[in-house]
Amino acid sequence: MNVLIVVAHPEPRSLNGALARFSVSHLQRLGHQVRVSDLYAMNWEARLSPADTQHRQHVERFTPSLESTQAFEGGFQSEDIQQEQEKLLWADAVILQFPLWWFSMPAILKGWIDRVYACGFAYGVGEHSDTHWGDRYGEGTLAGKRAMLVVTMGGWASHYSPRGINGHIDDILFPIQHGILFYPGFDVLPPFTVYRTGRIDSVRFDALCQELSKRLDNLFITAPVGYYRQNGGDYALPELTLRDDLAAGEQGHRIHIRQG
């Protein structure tokens, strides 16, 4: 199988760098083909801009979604965007590897999403009507592929527990897992999370690699997070609100995950 690892950390000798190298080695030993997009090493341009299209169609005013659509459909996106889209289409599974900075992904990775997830490629896909609100949230260009986050944090696991001061890690990662991965169709696996990164010695690192190896061994058989699909009848259209009989009386992120 083909696996793409997207790494977002400025220091190759960091824990993130070491874990990414371990993942590459382990996946290759399992017989998978692996490609890596190391965003800092690539000097990835994070800013979405008019330069993302090789042939501006509306020079008087830059409208990102319009220019993105026309560049994608016309085949004149910038070369770096095209290359990353080709990697996504090639991959059977994608791993996003990053440190949690200010409760989200590093800006360079968000910029990768902003630019690579072009209109017509990752959003603005499919029929858009009162009965079918586009191919998204379980459908779309990347449907049938798997995705997993590998996230490192300096805080304790208890800080990210259901009653922890930082909020539950599942809530913090919901916009990434549901909004960035599930939206264009990925089957999203539970994240691999690492806490107290400043206290990891060689013994703990070896233990982490053992834990991560098990997740990688099961990359293509682990049950994904059970998000409700947008067009599967679970949401009222065109309001796109969860049916009243599902998670009745509840609110928040967890209602969008099938329970039991």
Side-chain angles (χ1 to χ4, degrees):
M1 305 292 275
N2 299 331
V3 182
L4 171 64
I5 302 177
V6 184
V7 185
H9 196 288
E11 175 52 68
R13 295 167 296 182
S14 65
L15 175 63
N16 274 268
L19 289 174
R21 287 190 294 275
F22 172 81
S23 293
V24 171
S25 177
H26 190 79
L27 288 166
Q28 289 176 337
R29 284 199 298 271
L30 294 173
H32 300 301
Q33 300 297 311
V34 184
R35 300 176 73 179
V36 177
S37 288
D38 185 335
L39 300 185
Y40 280 95
M42 294 161 60
N43 196 28
W44 177 260
E45 172 56 71
R47 297 170 300 176
L48 186 151
S49 75
D52 291 345
T53 175
Q54 299 180 46
H55 302 288
R56 285 285 305 278
Q57 301 297 295
H58 306 278
V59 295
E60 69 283 354
R61 183 174 184 269
F62 177 57
T63 304
S65 60
L66 178 60
E67 292 282 1
S68 180
T69 301
Q70 294 178 336
F72 175 75
E73 293 178 348
F76 44 82
Q77 299 175 108
S78 64
E79 185 176 351
D80 58 346
I81 291 175
Q82 293 181 51
Q83 290 174 346
E84 295 306 297
Q85 290 174 347
E86 288 168 4
K87 292 177 187 177
L88 284 170
L89 294 175
W90 167 86
D92 298 300
V94 174
I95 296 172
L96 301 185
Q97 164 86 57
F98 61 92
L100 191 73
W101 286 354
W102 288 107
F103 300 88
S104 187
M105 56 176 60
I108 197 170
L109 180 53
K110 179 55 165 60
W112 184 84
I113 298 294
D114 288 346
R115 298 181 64 227
V116 176
Y117 273 35
C119 188
F121 178 79
Y123 74 101
V125 177
E127 171 195 344
H128 193 91
S129 68
D130 284 352
T131 58
H132 189 97
W133 208 266
D135 294 342
R136 58 181 195 170
Y137 291 116
E139 301 174 345
T141 302
L142 303 178
K145 302 175 183 291
R146 307 194 129 215
M148 183 175 77
L149 303 181
V150 177
V151 187
T152 62
M153 287 152 281
W156 297 18
S158 61
H159 301 174
Y160 296 91
S161 66
R163 293 176 61 84
I165 191 168
N166 290 339
H168 196 293
I169 189 61
D170 289 345
D171 290 335
I172 293 170
L173 296 180
F174 182 85
I176 301 174
Q177 298 206 129
H178 188 263
I180 290 177
L181 297 178
F182 189 60
Y183 185 107
F186 280 115
D187 289 327
V188 185
L189 306 186
F192 182 82
T193 52
V194 181
Y195 302 94
R196 300 193 75 182
T197 54
R199 295 300 183 95
I200 293 178
D201 56 17
S202 60
V203 174
R204 176 60 178 141
F205 179 74
D206 288 342
L208 280 175
C209 288
Q210 288 299 313
E211 295 171 25
L212 181 55
S213 68
K214 294 175 184 177
R215 295 296 307 275
L216 298 174
D217 290 345
N218 297 312
L219 187 61
F220 292 98
I221 60 174
T222 297
V225 178
Y227 294 123
Y228 291 110
R229 294 176 178 268
Q230 175 183 275
N231 295 307
D234 299 312
Y235 292 91
L237 294 172
E239 296 86 358
L240 291 178
T241 53
L242 194 64
R243 288 194 342 240
D244 291 341
D245 60 306
L246 298 175
E250 298 182 42
Q251 300 179 22
H253 297 153
R254 68 184 306 275
I255 71 168
H256 299 288
I257 302 174
R258 196 178 304 276
Q259 304 298 317

